[in-house]
Amino acid sequence: MNFLARHLVRFLTMLCLCCAYGVAAGGSYEAPLPVQLSTDPNLCAYVPCKDVMPGADSFSNRMGKPAYVEAYGKKKKDHDEKEGHDKRDNQGEKHVEKHDCDGHDDCELIGYVFLSTDIVDIPAYSGKPVVTLIGMDTQGIITGVRVLKHSEPILLVGIPESQLTKFVKQYLGKFVGDKIEVGASRPGESMIGVDAISGATVTVISENQVILRSGIEVARQVGIIKPTIRPQAKFKDVPGTLDWQGLLKEGSVQEIKVNPQELGLEPGKQPYIDIYFGYLNVPTIGRSVLGEHGYAALMSTLKPGEHAIFIIANGTGSFKGSGFVRGGIYDRVMVSQDLDSFTFRDLDYRNLYGIEAAGAPRYKESAIFIIRSPVFSAAYPWNLVYLANKQDRQTDAKTFVNFAREYWLPARYLEGGRPEIIKPEATWVKVWKTRKIEVVLFLLWLTAAGAVYALRDKLVRRSTHKDTRWKDIPKYVLWVTSIGFVGFYLLAVPSITQVLTWFHAILFEWRWELFLSDPFVFLFWIFIIITVFFWGRGMFCGWMCPYGSLAELTYHVAGKLGLKRYQRHLLPQNWHDRMKWIKYGIFGILLAVSFYSMGMAEKLAEIEPFKTTFLVGVWNRSWPFVTFWTVLIVASAFFERPFCKYLCPLGAALAIPSTFRWWGLKRKQECGPCKACQVGCGSQAIDDSGRIDQRECLLCLDCQVLYYDDHACPPLVQERKARTKAGQPLTAIGSDGYFIPIIPVSAHATAIAAVRPSLPAFIGQEFFDHLFPWSRKVFQQPILLQAITFALTVLVTWVWVLGAAGQIGPGIVLGWWLGWSVYELVVRMRCKPYVKDGPWWGRNLRPASWADMASYVGFKNLLIAVVLFLLMKSFGILDFLQDLPALQWLY
């Protein structure tokens, strides 16, 4: 048997690697791009510009701001040079004329090619932009679109990349200035619709914005689209001046702060750059910043329609740029207003000699820049954009990233106040609105599922060991609706990749819009998190998981079709006890790999068959995926939920916090020697002592049916027979699983309840139990051992604080967290070898196994770290810690 188990594991591992290789072998997912792509003037030396500009013979270097390249084709031939007429020399021999557009002598401008990341930085569902190459002719008509690289896991393991190629081809022949949206066309509003990709709504909405905004930026720059002239602001001369804090408070001065780690650099004591900026034409702001004479001097040099902004900055970086030359442009900062961009040349620069506002910070560099464009209006919001190079630590590739901050003058400085602005809705808001009916139906489904399980006691009381309809019918309804409505229709399939994304978001950057972009997965995860803490993983895994439901129905249908005699309800216990740890190992490997390469972890996560089943369809996959899926579904016909029990990394991730569940299943004292429930447990989650392992239990509730069944539960059977034989009446069965006594027990006969401790004492006990792994015996240890123990505690805490403040890398923090968790696991098993059983607020303790303690320690430490991080961030403590010295020796 051990031989077969080892070979089964090897076979499944080989299939997973084949699947990962199949995914990695093709497509543009995480495709490696040349390091020079974002910096080299010759863009077309690194990307296939001719693919998006058919008919082009040559391309210029990058030009403009934002950058684009000009595409040139051969001029139209004269009458004697038309195709079909060969030129011949004086000897009558055929002469092939060489056309060379490199010098543009016999060529004409036919269009423009541009890289999306040179222009916009719009994240897709993965939080990263879709790198897209776009071609546009001289009339603004899109001639070609090609996706060079994306990081969308849904297009890696869910939807064929051919669907994305099909989507972007819809833009060919369309004018970049047209109103184009994902969805149905609305001719009455001049809105052109493009077909979406089912299951990738966020991705296609983002790509729609990327294509159109990039095209409009270039079209406006080259004169295809005329700029929008906005009404100019009329200012009120509000008397008085403000100090620096007053300017910041009312929004007349804004800040952009960029930390080194945001650019892939080592953390430092100071930010990479910390910029303050503001608009100087307003009399009150100008006088506050420059003083009365400085403001008057500046305004005397400005012509009508010109605007002045000031910038001061500190940090290791520079907003002026190291490559600035006379006659050039300042390539690190620009102003954007709606889709219009304004850059600064040397003639737009003025010296800023000082800040007169009291309390102004010291600064390393400063400038006053002049905006000379009738398009710009200070009455409307605008953004200061700082551009920087971000280095990928894994590949050393550099890309441009933008950091922007909106600036809008306070209404009190504008005559008539601020104009009314209708801002475009966020992508996630559009998704929620377009699917509001499905969202309501999904919420009703979640509510119904929670209500059914909350009423489980009533359902199992009505059921018997021979008639489980009251329990089974609601479960079958949930299984069928989970497969059809949730899985195949809504495509709301939770995945381990989302868990990995959360870990990274907590450590690096939390963005709510990333999680809100898929309403069904977002709502599902809220439900899962709540129910895991209430009842453990079994509510989701056993009742609501689309793939788990499919596997369970496959098992039952196969039995009804005549395969029941071949089905093995349970594996041998020794096999099960070994194989159940495989899923935890898979989860640990995926989590570890994700910190090395999220893309690789997403590929390995293909061990989940969820996407093949629901998002893509088996018929759309290559042979490794089909083989793996077939093996699992065939195994599910003969064994009950083999994937859920032994391979599912999502189940393992949910099993760990199940240690903290509030309400477990009911047990009796006789459940140890009695094996009735253990024999029938499909999850094999009941051990020889009668205890239920909540991490493995899928909440089938069969044991709870026996709990109340006086014809199946041995203790109840004995008591029923004894009462019947004695001629005593059968009373109702109480919540403790026994017949209610015929003669009520007197108050004197009841055991005296333990005295509850006071609230301060309870809090103190909880604090000591959870935060300190040692018992009070630690104080009886030698002084040197005590000193080492508490020094380690202080050091680990200090490392975590520095990591939270961005002073040291996340890898070091994770290493220390793991090391401390292992240390605490060993110490607790020696000093406090128990965990809580039941609600957190209770004190029902039971002996802990190593698995119990590992789950408790790991998840408890993660919760403490997250809570502390959020509290420190909310109260500004992290900003204060930025100035603390880092432990450089840790690097």
Side-chain angles (χ1 to χ4, degrees):
M1 289 184 178
N2 290 336
F3 174 81
L4 292 175
R6 286 197 301 270
H7 280 272
L8 176 62
V9 173
R10 290 175 182 172
F11 176 68
L12 293 174
T13 304
M14 181 178 67
L15 281 175
C16 294
L17 292 175
C18 288
C19 292
Y21 173 78
V23 170
S28 54
Y29 177 81
E30 290 292 349
L33 297 178
V35 176
Q36 305 90 336
L37 180 62
S38 61
T39 55
D40 196 299
N42 189 4
L43 170 67
C44 295
Y46 304 98
V47 293
C49 291
K50 290 188 177 182
D51 286 1
V52 298
M53 184 56 65
D57 294 290
S58 67
F59 301 90
S60 70
N61 285 338
R62 276 187 169 105
M63 58 178 62
K65 192 71 175 180
Y68 62 91
V69 301
E70 294 180 336
Y72 291 89
K74 298 170 185 174
K75 291 181 180 178
K76 293 181 179 179
K77 300 178 181 180
D78 295 332
H79 180 71
D80 60 344
E81 297 175 321
K82 290 182 179 178
E83 292 180 6
H85 295 276
D86 297 331
K87 281 192 174 184
R88 300 181 181 274
D89 57 19
N90 293 332
Q91 284 75 29
E93 295 179 357
K94 184 176 181 179
H95 173 71
V96 179
E97 184 178 12
K98 180 181 179 182
H99 289 273
D100 185 5
C101 286
D102 291 342
H104 304 169
D105 294 331
D106 59 347
C107 299
E108 61 181 353
L109 177 67
I110 63 171
Y112 311 91
V113 175
F114 37 93
L115 190 66
S116 64
T117 47
D118 283 347
I119 304 169
V120 295
D121 189 20
I122 300 173
Y125 181 72
S126 64
K128 300 177 184 179
V130 177
V131 183
T132 309
L133 190 68
I134 305 163
M136 175 181 69
D137 68 15
T138 55
Q139 304 301 314
I141 304 299
I142 297 175
T143 58
V145 181
R146 177 165 176 175
V147 174
L148 302 178
K149 177 181 179 180
H150 71 85
S151 304
E152 303 297 275
I154 191 67
L155 296 174
L156 163 73
V157 291
I159 297 171
E161 284 191 347
S162 59
Q163 292 293 320
L164 183 59
T165 303
K166 181 180 178 181
F167 172 78
V168 298
K169 283 185 177 180
Q170 296 179 91
Y171 292 84
L172 302 186
K174 291 183 172 61
F175 179 58
V176 294
D178 285 337
K179 295 180 180 179
I180 303 176
E181 280 192 358
V182 176
S185 298
R186 301 195 298 273
E189 302 176 25
S190 301
M191 185 68 67
I192 301 174
V194 290
D195 294 333
I197 300 176
S198 179
T201 307
V202 176
T203 302
V204 296
I205 290 178
S206 171
E207 182 66 354
N208 177 67
Q209 295 176 346
V210 165
I211 295 171
L212 296 182
R213 288 195 58 181
S214 299
I216 290 173
E217 289 273 6
V218 174
R220 286 187 173 182
Q221 189 177 172
V222 300
I224 296 174
I225 297 178
K226 300 302 178 183
T228 302
I229 306 298
R230 302 175 182 86
Q232 292 299 308
K234 295 181 180 179
F235 306 121
K236 294 179 182 178
D237 190 355
V238 179
T241 59
L242 297 171
D243 62 9
W244 189 257
Q245 289 302 318
L247 292 169
L248 285 172
K249 185 176 180 180
E250 73 170 8
S252 294
V253 172
Q254 296 288 347
E255 180 185 18
I256 298 176
K257 190 174 184 179
V258 181
N259 292 315
Q261 53 267 40
E262 294 180 82
L263 299 177
L265 305 175
E266 296 292 343
K269 297 180 181 180
Q270 56 180 322
Y272 180 79
I273 195 166
D274 191 6
I275 296 174
Y276 292 95
F277 66 97
Y279 182 76
L280 293 174
N281 288 46
V282 176
T284 306
I285 301 175
R287 290 194 300 262
S288 299
V289 174
L290 303 178
E292 191 73 43
H293 297 293
Y295 173 69
L298 173 66
M299 296 307 293
S300 66
T301 64
L302 295 183
K303 298 177 181 178
E306 293 184 342
H307 310 265
I309 65 172
F310 81 93
I311 302 177
I312 61 173
N314 277 309
T316 57
S318 169
F319 70 79
K320 294 182 178 179
S322 57
F324 177 76
V325 295
R326 183 171 295 277
I329 65 172
Y330 291 90
D331 60 356
R332 296 296 179 184
V333 289
M334 61 183 241
V335 167
S336 67
Q337 190 167 49
D338 197 10
L339 296 177
D340 296 310
S341 300
F342 311 95
T343 55
F344 306 111
R345 297 184 175 274
D346 57 347
L347 297 178
D348 303 323
Y349 171 85
R350 299 282 190 277
N351 288 321
L352 176 61
Y353 296 103
I355 301 292
E356 296 296 324
R362 294 183 179 181
Y363 50 88
K364 186 180 72 174
E365 57 181 2
S366 61
I368 294 176
F369 288 114
I370 311 301
I371 301 174
R372 312 175 193 273
S373 173
V375 175
F376 180 84
S377 172
Y380 294 83
W382 52 273
N383 287 273
L384 182 71
V385 183
Y386 176 74
L387 298 93
N389 278 316
K390 181 177 182 179
Q391 184 172 358
D392 189 314
R393 291 189 178 185
Q394 297 177 16
T395 63
D396 290 330
K398 290 185 176 180
T399 56
F400 276 110
V401 289
N402 300 336
F403 299 90
R405 182 66 179 238
E406 185 180 84
Y407 187 97
W408 198 358
L409 283 173
R412 72 189 191 110
Y413 297 131
L414 296 168
E415 289 189 4
R418 288 176 170 177
E420 184 179 354
I421 300 293
I422 300 176
K423 294 186 177 181
E425 292 178 329
T427 300
W428 70 268
V429 175
K430 293 181 179 179
V431 174
W432 281 68
K433 285 187 174 181
T434 56
R435 310 204 66 180
K436 55 188 175 184
I437 296 177
E438 290 98 327
V439 168
V440 172
L441 292 175
F442 185 62
L443 284 171
L444 291 174
W445 184 78
L446 294 176
T447 303
V452 165
Y453 189 77
L455 297 173
R456 64 194 178 282
D457 201 62
K458 295 183 181 297
L459 297 176
V460 297
R461 279 179 176 271
R462 287 178 174 268
S463 302
T464 65
H465 181 57
K466 295 182 178 181
D467 183 6
T468 58
R469 288 176 297 171
W470 287 95
K471 170 185 71 75
D472 288 342
I473 290 176
K475 188 187 295 186
Y476 275 93
V477 171
L478 284 176
W479 284 346
V480 172
T481 52
S482 176
I483 296 169
F485 175 64
V486 179
F488 284 110
Y489 180 70
L490 295 182
L491 306 179
V493 184
S495 168
I496 190 61
T497 57
Q498 293 145 10
V499 177
L500 302 179
T501 302
W502 287 352
F503 271 97
H504 285 256
I506 291 171
L507 288 171
F508 301 110
E509 181 184 7
W510 185 272
R511 294 173 53 246
W512 277 109
E513 60 271 19
L514 173 61
F515 304 106
L516 288 166
S517 54
D518 190 322
F520 308 109
V521 171
F522 177 77
L523 293 172
F524 213 162
W525 270 111
I526 292 177
F527 181 88
I528 292 170
I529 292 170
I530 293 174
T531 55
V532 162
F533 281 100
F534 280 180
W535 303 307
R537 65 173 280 215
M539 179 67 218
F540 167 73
C541 294
W543 292 57
M544 304 176 72
C545 173
Y547 184 81
S549 301
L550 178 64
E552 187 75 42
L553 282 180
T554 299
Y555 179 80
H556 289 288
V557 170
K560 296 293 184 182
L561 294 178
L563 298 179
K564 195 172 186 65
R565 56 180 175 171
Y566 302 108
Q567 290 178 328
R568 293 204 55 165
H569 183 57
L570 305 175
L571 287 179
Q573 192 65 37
N574 59 339
W575 279 37
H576 173 79
D577 290 339
R578 292 181 177 89
M579 294 180 63
K580 70 180 181 180
W581 297 107
I582 296 176
K583 61 180 177 289
Y584 296 97
I586 293 171
F587 170 63
I589 290 172
L590 290 176
L591 182 60
V593 170
S594 72
F595 288 101
Y596 169 74
S597 170
M598 189 64 179
M600 183 181 297
E602 288 169 346
K603 295 171 185 176
L604 294 176
E606 184 61 23
I607 193 172
E608 292 181 329
F610 311 157
K611 306 168 189 68
T612 299
T613 306
F614 299 102
L615 304 180
V616 186
V618 184
W619 50 88
N620 291 324
R621 304 311 298 269
S622 56
W623 73 265
F625 298 99
V626 176
T627 303
F628 184 53
W629 185 90
T630 304
V631 168
L632 289 179
I633 208 68
V634 170
S636 297
F638 294 94
F639 298 94
E640 190 171 358
R641 294 194 182 221
F643 176 79
C644 305
K645 292 181 184 177
Y646 307 118
L647 294 178
C648 182
L650 178 60
L654 297 178
I656 295 173
S658 292
T659 303
F660 288 80
R661 56 85 188 106
W662 289 2
W663 294 289
L665 299 179
K666 295 179 178 181
R667 309 300 288 149
K668 299 175 183 176
Q669 294 179 354
E670 294 87 351
C671 288
C674 174
K675 308 296 182 183
C677 294
Q678 183 183 15
V679 171
C681 179
S683 303
Q684 295 181 255
I686 304 177
D687 61 19
D688 291 337
S689 67
R691 188 180 69 85
I692 298 176
D693 185 351
Q694 297 294 334
R695 290 182 297 274
E696 300 299 319
C697 177
L698 298 181
L699 296 181
C700 67
L701 299 183
D702 287 343
C703 63
Q704 299 305 283
V705 172
L706 291 179
Y707 184 84
Y708 291 110
D709 190 347
D710 59 3
H711 285 75
C713 179
L716 284 178
V717 170
Q718 291 179 4
E719 186 172 359
R720 177 180 57 80
K721 289 181 177 179
R723 287 196 181 191
T724 302
K725 185 176 182 180
Q728 296 175 343
L730 296 178
T731 58
I733 300 174
S735 61
D736 60 353
Y738 300 98
F739 287 103
I740 296 175
I742 298 174
I743 302 175
V745 179
S746 65
H748 296 287
T750 58
I752 300 176
V755 178
R756 290 180 178 272
S758 64
L759 182 61
F762 175 78
I763 294 175
Q765 181 67 47
E766 291 292 296
F767 182 83
F768 184 81
D769 275 354
H770 293 305
L771 295 186
F772 295 92
W774 318 276
S775 65
R776 289 181 172 85
K777 295 179 181 179
V778 72
F779 299 106
Q780 302 172 6
Q781 302 297 323
I783 298 296
L784 179 59
L785 182 59
Q786 291 185 46
I788 293 175
T789 297
F790 288 107
L792 179 62
T793 305
V794 173
L795 180 59
V796 169
T797 304
W798 182 245
V799 169
W800 183 88
V801 169
L802 290 177
Q807 297 291 326
I808 57 178
I812 298 174
V813 178
L814 287 172
W816 279 96
W817 175 83
L818 179 61
W820 170 259
S821 296
V822 172
Y823 168 78
E824 182 177 351
L825 171 64
V826 175
V827 169
R828 281 188 177 273
M829 289 302 290
R830 291 179 60 86
C831 298
K832 296 180 178 179
Y834 54 81
V835 292
K836 282 191 176 183
D837 194 18
W840 291 358
W841 55 84
R843 294 293 300 170
N844 184 20
L845 305 177
R846 62 172 173 80
S849 66
W850 283 94
D852 292 331
M853 192 61 74
S855 298
Y856 164 75
V857 168
F859 195 70
K860 182 260 300 181
N861 287 345
L862 180 64
L863 284 178
I864 291 174
V866 171
V867 170
L868 286 177
F869 177 82
L870 294 176
L871 288 175
M872 294 169 70
K873 188 174 183 179
S874 300
F875 289 101
I877 300 175
L878 293 184
D879 294 331
F880 169 76
L881 293 174
Q882 293 288 342
D883 298 328
L884 292 178
L887 298 179
Q888 297 295 335
W889 58 272
L890 283 173
Y891 287 99

